[in-house]
Amino acid sequence: MSWGAELWDQFDNLDKHTQWGIDFLERYAKFVKERIEIEQNYAKQLRNLVKKYCPKRSSKDEEPRFTSCLAFFNILNELNDYAGQREVVAEEMGHRVYGELMRYSHDLKTERKMHLQEGRKAQQYLDMCWKQMDNSKKKFERECREAEKAQQSYERLDNDTNATKADVEKAKQQLNLRTHMADENKNEYAAQLQNFNGEQHKHYHIVIPQIYKHLQEMDERRTIKLSECYKGFADSERKVIPIISKCLEGMILAAKSVDERRDSQIVIDSFKSGFEPPGDFPFEDYSQHIYRTVSDGTISTPKQEGMKIDPKTTVGKAKGKLWLFGKKPKGPALEDFSHLPPEQRRKKLQQRIDELNRELQKETDQKDALIKMKDVYEKNPQMGDPGSLQPKLAETMSNMDRLRMEIHKNEAWLSEVEGKVAARGDRRHSSDINHLVTQGRESPEGSYTDDANQEVRGPPQQHAHHNEFDDEFEDDDPLPAIGHCKAIYPFDGHNEGTLAMKEGEVLYVIEEDKGDGWTRARRQNGEEGYVPTSYIDVTLEKNSKGS
């Protein structure tokens, strides 16, 4: 099966076919290029999608801890890796398929042009040989006719009795000349014919088959190259399938890592305040006034009369609230986190202590390294001046002292809050509620101190703790007074939910201390709020104190 043998006379069709083959090659290259653009755009869109939904965290506190969030971010990371693999596919196709096709197409065009030029040259040479042979043939034919005419003229003169001998001799010479020229042209024609036949045989059996063989090999190589590119097109994607499978497996593992119990526990750890739920409300006996008569001699004393509530001044001006802590404080966060609930305060202090310990360890390692370097410099002065390390060493020691002080201070706060939580739990289970204690007295901010005079000299600043549900538990009816109290110390009451009071001021008690160090009180004008239990002297009504 050879083009040279089977298609010896189809030069024009082979010219068209080889051109079609190159056009088809370039069309497939264009297809690969568009596929590469699709892969690149797909990868770019995937990366933009991942970037859009990735968390923008400004601090460690904002890092997600829920397993469902972590799983989603792991899926985003896997999807980002998946996008990278699509870029690898595009790069591999561009290098292995498209680039190779474009280089091969250029070489193929050059080779085809060369083979076709050789074929045209061979055809032109054969045409030239045929023209030479045809010219010699025509010349031989012409000389033969001229010799035939000379023969006829000589015979006519030779048979004519009236012709002179000179005329006959001249005709004979002319015949001999024409015969000789005819013989020479005959030999020339025979030589040209033999040469043309040889060139034609060579053309159709050697030159053209060789050229067509090269064209056939070129076209077959083009077909093989297309086959290789088809395979490379698929291999470019098949190579990344294991990595893509790992990305998908990572997404499945991320989905399996979601733990609803753990997320629920994180919610508890994040929002647990550490406070105990409010206790039962005492029974308020309004029927005690029914049984009182003038004859019993139990007419209310002026003090008790003074404790009566004026509905005109109280109704609509104050609303009973079930929770002590309302909205978040408007002021900045405090260094000791005393503005937070006990449990959250403990967690924040523990986190800070851990961070300070890590910083202290870094400074310790740096100090050890500086000491070792100083020893090396002292033993080998040519390596450096030991005195140059002294400022850095002093700075490191100063930082270590500062960090130790910070750790000690935060550990003291941590011990305080842990002790306060434990003490509050003990008071919850105690039946004897003592609001004016001399040992372990609770300050307005919930801390304990053994020095009562310290509270007199300067009571600590009260930081109001508010609960976000305070507006949901409002009661239009004011709570009845269960006693009265007298302010031992002044209290500013700047924070929301607290009540300011002056030293010696008398207030109505409308809710006892539940063990958290706060008592709810009301002025005669109906203004209500919480005051530190340790700042007041409480006197409860006889019938309400034990209820």
Side-chain angles (χ1 to χ4, degrees), residues 275 324-342 345 413 416 420 424 442-447 459-467 491-499 516-518 530-532 535:
F275 294 115
L324 171 60
F325 301 102
K327 301 177 181 178
K328 295 181 179 179
K330 299 179 181 178
L334 300 177
E335 183 183 7
D336 60 353
F337 301 111
S338 59
H339 62 287
L340 296 176
R345 182 186 181 193
W413 287 334
E416 173 187 319
K420 181 180 68 174
R424 179 176 292 129
E442 188 175 8
S443 66
E445 65 175 350
S447 61
Q461 184 180 358
Q462 169 66 20
H463 302 284
H465 301 269
H466 304 285
N467 190 287
F491 179 63
D492 50 20
H494 290 321
N495 295 305
E496 185 178 354
T498 59
L499 182 64
D516 51 13
W518 296 90
Y530 288 89
V531 295
Y535 278 36

Side-chain angles (χ1 to χ4, degrees), residues 14 51 141 165 263 270 294 353 367 385 470:
L14 290 179
K51 184 179 180 181
E141 183 181 4
K165 187 177 180 179
D263 285 0
S270 298
V294 178
I353 290 172
K367 182 198 72 171
D385 182 14
D470 58 348

